[in-house]
DNA sequence: ATAAACCCTGACATTAATGTTAGGGTCAAG
DNA sequence: CTTGACCCTAACATTAATGTCAGGGTTTAT
């Protein structure tokens, strides 16, 4: 199938499909006229790429194990677990940062509301 | 004081001080030779800017209420609370997204470990 | 044979605060 | 009067995936 069809089937933009190819995630063959030709399997491949992107992995990280997970179960791909561990650590760090900002914000909001409340009763 | 001294006193880079000015957060006067001249008060002002940046607010948002909070308590600045509420909502949305990715990652990691465990006992 | 709907490459835009560099003034101490 | 430490503006770089546009081929259906 050609790129437009693959885009329609997967919901991924043509632009992104070309980008994935540039990042080494897809390798369609080229017809004589220069058009990309994708196998039926490319559809699943694109969905797999999306799955990992949605986990917050970069195309570079995905490129490191995509070939393996497309032919094996994840558990057999040595590269996956370390990347998951690293990503998990990043996510937890981000959550901690956000939680601390959240607490800070909530305290400041409460202070404002308290002061305004006092203000009203003093007037 | 000149920009280098303000940078040294606050720990904020000269580049950032110029950027804050461009964003309307600082307005030093200009000497005849073109140098920026900051009042002693600018030091507190910069620390206040940093405080809000650390809460995740943009320079544009800060510009919307900085003038007020520099001369009043936060509670008297009407613009602050809506921005805090909006920021809080964003933060909570981000935390939720990260939590869901985190759960997803943890499940996938557990699956991998389970499958590898089974694998060992089957061999 | 022409128009519509494809496809191609290449390149710039997006975001936001900050770093860095280039090219050039100013000033104080020696 | 020169050196070093300041200061200035302007501009490009950073990040990552995606959008968009320009300029140009190809294919398909009429």
């Amino acid at each position: 199938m050609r790129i437009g069809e693959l885009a329609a089937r997967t919901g991924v933009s043509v632009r992104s499909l070309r980008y994935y190819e540039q990042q080494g995630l897809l390798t369609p063959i080229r017809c004589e006229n220069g058009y990309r030709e994708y196998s039926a399997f490319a559809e699943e491949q694109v969905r797999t790429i999306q799955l990992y992107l949605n986990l917050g992995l970069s195309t570079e990280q995905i490129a490191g194990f995509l070939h393996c997970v497309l032919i094996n179960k994840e558990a057999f791909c040595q590269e996956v677990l370390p990347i998951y561990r690293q990503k998990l650590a990043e996510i937890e760090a981000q959550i901690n940062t956000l939680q601390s900002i959240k607490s800070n914000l909530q305290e400041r909001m409460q202070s404002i509301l308290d002061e305004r409340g006092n203000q009203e009763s003093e007037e």
Side-chain angles (χ1 to χ4, degrees), chain A residues 101-112 114:
Chain A
I101 292 177
K102 177 179 170 179
S103 303
N104 200 337
L105 272 174
Q106 286 175 325
E107 280 173 30
R108 300 180 73 91
M109 291 172 69
Q110 193 56 54
S111 295
I112 289 176
D114 287 351

Side-chain angles (χ1 to χ4, degrees), chain A residues 51-64:
Chain A
L51 181 152
Y52 289 118
L53 284 177
N54 288 334
L55 281 176
L57 302 187
S58 68
T59 54
E60 187 180 358
Q61 288 175 316
I62 298 171

Side-chain angles (χ1 to χ4, degrees), chain A residues 1-11 17 26 38 42-43 46:
Chain A
M1 83 189 88
R2 294 189 306 196
I3 199 168
E5 185 177 348
L6 183 57
R9 282 178 184 273
T10 59
L17 293 177
L26 290 176
Y38 295 90
E43 193 176 328
V46 171

Side-chain angles (χ1 to χ4, degrees), chain A residues 57 61 80-92:
Chain A
L57 302 187
Q61 288 175 316
V80 175
L81 200 50
I83 288 181
Y84 277 1
R85 286 196 209 281
Q86 181 191 336
K87 192 70 202 176
L88 185 60
E90 286 172 19
I91 298 272
E92 286 173 343

